[in-house]
Amino acid sequence: MNQSAPDTLERASDDETYYLNMGPQHPSMHGVLRLLLHLRGEKILDCEPVIGYAHRAHEKMAENRSYIMFIPNTSRVDYLSGMIYNIGFCQAIEKMVGIEVPARAEVIRVIVCELNRIQSHLLWLGTFMLDLGGVTPFLYCFDDREEILTILDRVTGSRLTYAYGRFGGVTMDVDDVFIEQSRAFLVRLRERFLMYHALIRENVIFQERCRGVGVISEEIALKYGVTGPSLRASGVEYDVRRAEPYGGYERFDFEIPTEKAGDCLARFDVRVREMEQSCRIIEQGLTALPDGPIGPKKLIKKLKPPKGEFYFAVESARGHFGMYILSDGSDTPAKIKLRTPSFSSLSSMPDVLRGTMVADTIAIVGSIDLVIPEIDR
Amino acid sequence: MNHSLIALVCVASPLIAFVVALVGFRRRHGIAAGIVLTSGVASLVAAAALLLTAHPEAQAFTSRWFVIGDVSIEFGVLLDGRTLIMGAVVALVTLCIQIYSLSYMADDPGRGRFFAFLALFEWSMLSFVFSANLLQTFIFWELIGLSSFLLIGFWYEKPSAVAAAKKAFIMTRIGDVGLFIGLILLFRATGTLDVMEIGRIFEPQGQPSSIPPGQIELIALMLFIGVIGKSAQFPLHTWLPDAMEGPTPVSALLHSATMVAAGIFLVARFHELFLDAPTTMRVMLGIATFTALLAATMAMVAKDMKRVLAYSSISQLGFMLIGLSAGSLFAGYFHLTTHAFFKALLFLCAGAYIHGCGTNDMIAMGRAGVARMRITTIGLVVGGAALAGIPPLAGFFSKEQIIGTLDGSGLFYTIIRIGVYAAAFLTAYYSFRMIFLITRPNADSLAVEDEPAHAQHAGSDHSAGHDPAEPWVMCGPIILLTLGAIGVGFLGGRIAALLGIEHAHAPTLAEMAPAVGIALLGVALAWFEFGRTGARQAGFVASFPPVQTLFEKRWYIDEFYQRVFVRPVVWFAKLCYGTETRALDGAADKLARGVVRAGGETARRHIGRLQLYIGAAVASVAVLVFYLAME
Amino acid sequence: MSYFTTIAGGLKSLVTGLGITARQMRRKPVTLTYPHVKPELSEAYRSLISLVQFEELETHDCIACMQCVKICPSFCIEIDGGRVEGIKRMRASKFEVDFALCSMCGLCIDVCPTDTLEYTKLYDEAGYEREWVYDLLDPFRDFEDEFVERQRVSDAREAAEKAAKRAAAAEAKAATEKEPEVDP
Amino acid sequence: MTIQAWMMFALVLFCIGLYGVLARRNLIGILIGIELMLNAASVNVLAVNYHVANDPAVGRIIVLFIIGLAAAEAAIALSIILAVYRQRTSIDVANLEELKG
Amino acid sequence: MIAAGLVMVLTIAGAIIGVGARRIVHAIFGLGISLAGVALAFGLLRSPFVAAMEVLIYIGGITVAMVFAVMLSSGGRNEPGEGLLRRTLAAGAALLFLVSVGLVISGTEFGPMPEAVDEAWSVQQIGRDLLNRFNVVFELLSVVLLLAIVGAITIAGRGDESLDPAAADEGWA
Amino acid sequence: MPRTFLDIFGNPLLALGAGIGGVMTVLSLNTLFCIWFERKVSAWIQRRMGPMEVGFHGTLQTVADMIKLLGKQLITPRGVDKPLYHLAPLMVFAPVVAAASLLPFSKTVVLTNINIGLVLIFMFGGFAVIGIFMAGWGSNNKYALLGAMRSIAQNISYEIPLILSALPIVLLISAKGPMYEIEGEMIAINGMNLAHITAVQADTGVWFVLLQPVAMLIFFIAILAETNRAPFDIPEAESELVAGFHTEYSGMRFGLFFFAEYSNMLIGSMLATVLFFGGWDGPILPGPVWFFLKAYLLIFAMMWIRWTFPRLRFDQLMTFCWGALIPLSIVNLLVTAFLIKVL
């Protein structure tokens, strides 16, 4: 029944191997990703991720516009942690050129980034449950996420693709309403955590589906450069916010949750605990929000960084997001290379998926939290 | 609820547990253990309920399985005093051991399988005990053999365990041949398979008129051969010490109340028949006494704690047989019951020690300070004292009963009596040797540890010196059995009543005196040599090195078997092989080649065109039918 | 034992889950029946851009400085303009935005020197073609001449004032310059 | 319906099954033929039972046994077919004629 | 009468599809139709319980198992057709059998039909008979079924190899 | 005992026509209602509104959808196995109608009264497997085939606990027999007659759910699996297999699968009602009302469960069936037999 055996296969296969395309259009793929599965029965012998269906050439675009014009692009690379990418890019340029950021702007940035992280994780939680067949938690998560979007909407003017960062600050100041809303949201979220715990984490079916499924061992994780919560779930305590603090994170008190098991359940736990830590960070930020300007008086439009290479990384909701910027001294970058965490996580998939079942594929691919446009850039 | 149902629950629940655990949860150990334990509890409750409520008169509940000719094969349960007591003891001891195994086997990768096998064993044993039918008896006798094989060889990756399991299986099989012949003879003689019916035939005083006395002797002898195998009597006793290769709970299960006791129970079951065979009874008495003495000497010098207990089991089984063959059902049966408790207790203690310090060597154990495991040590002392026959513990009463039954006169009985006293003395001696070696270790003594320490328990990583843990699941059974070892002795009257016998022998103080005295003498000697401060911790036999070696080498019986049976057989087999390959095959090959060539030609025409052949066959049948129809 | 605790725990978790959904069932829905109820937009809501009508000018104040054209990452703004006859101020004569390309990043608004760009509050606008060009000047065309006229007047007045001022200043200067001459 | 009619019906069914067994090259096809033959036998038994026998339960029980046996037979046959397929990736009987001395 | 005729036609038609269809899957469905017809015939012979069992076990079990076998084996595609000679020979043998046995049947005198004793049997009666009169057969059958299941698993089972990721990995090497 | 349609109409053909008409009407209305109800339940649970536009609170939404489905083109993809592909929806649908006609919905009038009604319902359940397979195979689509394979394996496996958990009821009824008095009338009672089962429950006043809670639970779970409902909706797990065996169907053919699924739910709940909840038995309200009320309560429970839990994995599903449900139901059956014998 291998009438559609693709020619990309190098490995010899016997008659009983069954090829199944998961994607590019498939209900469980959160974007246009194609996984070519080699099956025997419902067991996966091998898996080939095929990417490029959502390619938008962000990196190439960067070569044709000035630094500031690249800002809107950043939040479209990974639309779920757009804020983190956006502000990360600003921070990179600030560090590269040496622009001072006022204290208030720095704290605001941390708060909105963490809010963004929470909403990304919430969305992951929902879609992960959707992959596992639970539709209801998905909508509950979206309900919570909606709150965050409303809060961010008030200060950034956008719900998903924030172009909130500017070199040396942010576009808009936050007010007391923002602080109130954020505090109220934290209270609400902590209550909802209890509900999620009872509804999802304690659920025996959920545990059965997740425990021991899709174990990314520390070795494999390091081999492929898996980062972020997926790495921390494998027992490696690596977080850019702690390893190479940036943007004032060194002043905040938070923990880096890790788990040993490396399976879907561990990744779930790590993300949930990370949300709790983000709540803590936001609380600290709201309490210690200093007065002062939120950026330079005049918008910094033109900058000409010195010739040379520069690398800067931030911790996005999915892991280590790095920007490699090559400057030729002009006002447009010669090259910007984005190192995106989803790409590395996806690379590890064939090793992890081998030997699991089709249903597990969905759970595993769902659990590593891929954002496909981020892979394709 | 009537009794048949309770008995069915008692017997069937382990089977269900076995099937469910083995089929469904072999890899989910916790679940398997839970199921098996539940079944164990169910069996115990049912057995206890039976024991407390049932009438001591025999009742049989059977249902027909199938009928062959005139004989209807039935399955069912027979409830009378013997089966009730035995059933309760088996269920209780098994449950204790199952609980104990929870901890002992906690780290074993094959735990689920282990518990399933325990359930299988329990089922076989209970069904054997309650069986109402000779066929059923035999089937479950064999199943006991099978499940003990599985359990002894549980650690099948250890070659020694496999060898031991094989040995146990083969040795008992030798006896089983005798048993099988005996059962067939019995069936032929009585014409019935019903155990109760058989009991009724042999019950009246004097021999039954319908069966010639010689035949009864033969039947009894054949049955006894089976008992020798199963209950490890001389000369088929050698498998039992080797069987210590199995996990300690298995040793406790197999060598206290169950597998080896099956033989004794068989004698008790057909005691009426044995009583009608006086000559066989004398042979049995002799063999039993000899075995008791022989095994006791081996136990005197062994260093491996489990081996000591194994030898002691053989010896005590001898004692039981002595009681039975001296004509007292009660004495043997009582000892069987008490022994079940204290021997299981001792094995469990040994297991706890082994678990705690990772060695089987008593001397090493003592020096590692295992005596600090308080509950276990109390159990050890109580069990050891019960084994030695110290009043007022269980062993004392039953052993006293056995000694008391030896009231015959004449040279034979004198010798027997001397032998029994000697065995009793040695029992006290070796059991307290064991106790003292463990509780009063003396690093300066002459005692030498086996090097390297013979560690059985793979999972123990406790280093010597720190306090070994006593998990409650281990302590619970030990405490329970300790209480049993203390208390069961007082239930003699009740057991006798259940067996339908008047308390046969109410000992007077004067009669008790020699037994107690001998036991105390043994204890004293053990104290002098091992217990007191500054003792040399070397037995008196150490002064006679040849004797010591003789005992340690188990009287060279194993070597003897090796030389006399195994090697000649192997040699003969080789001879046959040589003859066949060289002489006969040469001729045959020539012939065969011709045949093959002829066949090859034929075969070339037959290449498996099945449909063609079928078609041809159908067509010819059709033609034939057509022809017939036209007629 | 763990077997039964596992089963009991599993069952309990399932019942808990059912309980949670049951509790949610009794709550009010959180959805907005969208076409019937319009969403409330936040102050900062970023949407299509438009030109501000300034009170004092009564029209927009685009001076065709091309800042927004230069910074627009989508290259969707097209502006023409320059000096209008008679007035000092630069004026845009063409301000077209292709909203099919616009990504509503807001950089043009940030960069506008006269703050004459603002967001509209349209949230359900949609284009139906590849090019969806808006002429932002359209609402202002009618005012343009009037404005230019007004501006010319005011410019002229301003110029006159300035000239007067300058003249006065020059006089004063001349006066101060002269004085020393007188002085010696 | 007379008993003759039922028996003729069963005979025809049987012969169709026989044809299937003889003609098909596919192992599963042969198995289908065998099932048809078994069913023909069942029909026959029930027909005789209905028309001739005095004890109405016996025929039904026999048919139940036939059904049970057929289930067992089908299980074994199909597993053999699968094994054959795995061995030589074909379930054509023509490929199985290898019983050469 | 009409019903019986219809049932017979249905059964025979299904059987012809079953042995004649090129595609094996169609043949299996032909068998299914034929079996349904047989079940109806059972119903006409006043044995609804047996008919229900026929459907449950044959259609619900055996045909489905066959279908599974097809899916697991060739997948039912590109099968060679049977040669004309083969078909002719098979048809000849079957026809010969049909004619000769048909002659026997038509020539036989059957006894008179006994009193209709429909109420004398019931499901309970069958159950009782199974466990009493026919218990040895019953047990034998259960043993046969058990052995069949065990045998089938042994023959067809691939073992744990396919469930072990490591082994599957090796399979690739 | 209740009168059947045959008693009422006299003519078998007439009775058959009336029966099929009645069943079809009920099933159609049920499907229309259930789809709306399902959407509403999910909306309530997820704190949404659900369909609101067509009719009062969207009550006519399903009708509109149905009309839309009827109007849609029936696409026959290239490469399908035509006879199988076309027959499959009917094969899935027809047994449902047949099975529905066996249920005793009222004390006085039922469609049929057969002594082996229970077995027949299971028999018709077995038919559906063939239909599903035809759909999966005929579609010539990988997802469909995988879905069909899963579905068949699941349906066959879960039929075992289904039957095993219904058997205790048969035993309980048979134990009352052979003759039993219902409202002054002695009847030869039959354990597999659904009308008798209901009648005995009504007569004793003890619903069997009280005597057989474990069997009820197993039965309910097995029905969830048989009707491919979450958390056992693996054959059509949309996150894995798109839509499972009916991926390639469009228009009213797809509608028929939908129809069959919701009808199956109704039949399963009705069967559970008959076996465990006393069928039409209940105070004040007339019998059929009670019957449908109970059935719809069970359907509500099914929906509630579906919208609460994630889906099991296929092997876990099978393990659950063979490792937990079947042993448990066997034990339950044995214990029941035992107790009946003893008491």
Side-chain angles (χ1 to χ4, degrees), chain B residues 324-368:
Chain B
L324 288 172
S325 52
S328 166
L329 174 63
F330 171 65
Y333 211 86
F334 190 27
H335 197 52
L336 175 62
T337 314
T338 56
H339 175 256
F341 283 95
F342 63 71
K343 187 51 62 66
L345 170 62
L346 283 173
F347 268 115
L348 294 194
C349 293
Y353 287 144
I354 293 168
H355 197 70
C357 71
T359 173
N360 277 9
D361 186 352
M362 289 192 292
I363 299 160
M365 246 180 227
R367 288 180 186 165

Side-chain angles (χ1 to χ4, degrees), chain E:
Chain E
M1 193 68 195
I2 301 166
L6 284 176
V7 163
M8 285 176 183
V9 169
L10 178 74
T11 313
I12 302 288
I16 288 172
I17 298 176
V19 297
R22 275 293 281 279
R23 280 196 178 176
I24 195 67
V25 180
H26 291 184
I28 292 174
F29 285 112
L31 175 69
I33 294 170
S34 182
L35 292 175
V38 171
L40 288 177
F42 287 174
L44 289 176
L45 290 166
R46 305 270 169 87
S47 314
F49 181 71
V50 182
M53 285 300 127
E54 168 96 5
V55 171
L56 253 182
I57 294 173
Y58 263 111
I59 298 184
I62 293 177
T63 44
V64 169
M66 283 182 179
V67 150
F68 252 79
V70 170
M71 281 198 276
L72 292 175
S73 60
S74 67
R77 306 200 191 275
N78 45 41
E79 289 155 21
E82 287 85 23
L84 187 66
L85 177 70
R86 193 187 182 90
R87 275 186 284 164
T88 321
L89 280 178
L95 217 62
L96 198 60
F97 192 83
L98 179 73
V99 170
S100 51
V101 179
L103 282 176
V104 173
I105 291 174
S106 58
T108 311
E109 285 283 322
F110 289 96
M113 192 170 159
E115 296 292 307
V117 272
D118 266 340
E119 295 312 311
W121 83 281
S122 63
V123 182
Q124 279 97 329
Q125 183 58 40
I126 286 184
R128 229 166 270 134
D129 277 355
L130 276 180
L131 292 177
N132 291 313
R133 268 166 82 192
F134 301 100
N135 71 332
V136 177
V137 191
F138 187 67
E139 280 179 35
L140 276 179
L141 191 70
S142 26
V143 171
V144 168
L145 272 174
L146 180 69
L147 289 181
I149 291 167
V150 173
I153 293 171
T154 320
I155 295 172
R158 222 190 313 238
D160 274 346
E161 158 254 321
S162 66
L163 290 177
D164 183 10
D169 236 21
E170 279 163 29
W172 281 110

Side-chain angles (χ1 to χ4, degrees), chain A residues 19 21 28 42 132 136 140, chain F residues 45 142-143 150 239 307:
Chain A
Y19 299 93
N21 272 318
S28 74
E42 290 216 13
L132 294 181
T136 299
Y140 292 166
Chain F
I45 285 180
K142 291 182 180 187
Y143 294 117
R150 285 177 171 195
S239 63
W307 294 105

Side-chain angles (χ1 to χ4, degrees), chain B residues 163-187:
Chain B
K166 224 160 60 185
K167 189 170 178 182
F169 199 61
I170 292 171
M171 284 290 218
T172 50
R173 207 64 344 117
I174 296 173
D176 291 351
V177 175
L179 177 78
F180 192 51
I181 298 172
L183 288 180
I184 290 176
L185 287 177
L186 184 57
F187 173 54

Side-chain angles (χ1 to χ4, degrees), chain A residues 64-65 68-69 71-73 76 136 140 143 153-159 161-164 166 171-172 192 195 198-199 202-205 299 301, chain C residues 6 9-11 13-14 16-18 20-21 24-25 27 30 41-46 67 70-75 103-107 110-111:
Chain A
N64 292 301
R65 54 198 66 204
I68 193 164
M69 283 162 78
I71 284 183
N73 284 57
R76 285 166 170 81
T136 299
Y140 292 166
D143 191 11
D153 187 18
R154 264 198 80 253
V155 295
T156 69
S158 177
R159 300 167 70 81
T161 50
Y162 324 96
Y164 187 51
R166 292 289 182 268
T171 51
M172 248 172 280
R192 299 282 279 197
M195 186 192 94
L199 181 65
E202 295 276 281
N203 188 297
V204 66
I205 299 176
L299 183 68
K301 288 183 293 200
Chain C
T6 315
L11 274 180
S13 79
L14 296 182
T16 318
L18 288 176
I20 287 172
T21 44
Q24 296 289 337
M25 222 184 292
R27 302 246 175 100
V30 294
L41 298 177
S42 73
E43 284 295 304
Y45 187 75
R46 299 210 308 256
Q67 291 276 20
K70 278 183 201 143
I71 206 165
C72 178
S74 311
F75 309 110
S103 57
M104 330 228 160
C105 63
L107 282 176
D110 276 13
V111 87

